Amino acid sequence: MDATCELIIDSLDEEPIGETDHFTWFITDIGIVALFKREENLETYSSNVESEANKLALDISKEEREYLIINEKQLFLFY
């Protein structure tokens, strides 16, 4: 596992900054993580992530988005 993955996994043990319908949200040392709550297709999550971020007053529209699977957890990393 690389350093980026380790930082993300460590951050998932912290208190989340919020929850929405499809995601649990975390702040990490490298960005914002939207952890998928359930197993649905990637398109469903991709289409919902920005509107759900707005519900938590997070503006991720200009951030780079990366889809990752770490230890069987699916997530988006915004940086």
Side-chain angles (χ1 to χ4, degrees), residues 36-55:
F36 294 21
K37 285 185 167 180
R38 297 174 285 286
E39 298 239 354
E40 292 184 33
N41 69 38
L42 184 58
E43 284 184 33
T44 300
Y45 283 99
S46 289
S47 64
N48 289 312
V49 70
E50 281 194 43
S51 64
E52 291 190 30
N54 287 334
K55 290 178 184 178

Side-chain angles (χ1 to χ4, degrees), residues 1-40:
M1 185 179 311
D2 68 14
T4 299
C5 293
E6 287 179 21
L7 283 171
I8 292 170
I9 290 299
D10 289 345
S11 296
L12 298 181
D13 291 334
E14 302 297 323
E15 188 73 26
I17 59 170
E19 290 195 39
T20 56
D21 292 339
H22 293 94
F23 304 98
T24 303
W25 297 83
F26 296 89
I27 295 293
T28 72
D29 290 339
I30 54 177
I32 297 169
V33 167
L35 178 65
F36 294 21
K37 285 185 167 180
R38 297 174 285 286
E39 298 239 354
E40 292 184 33

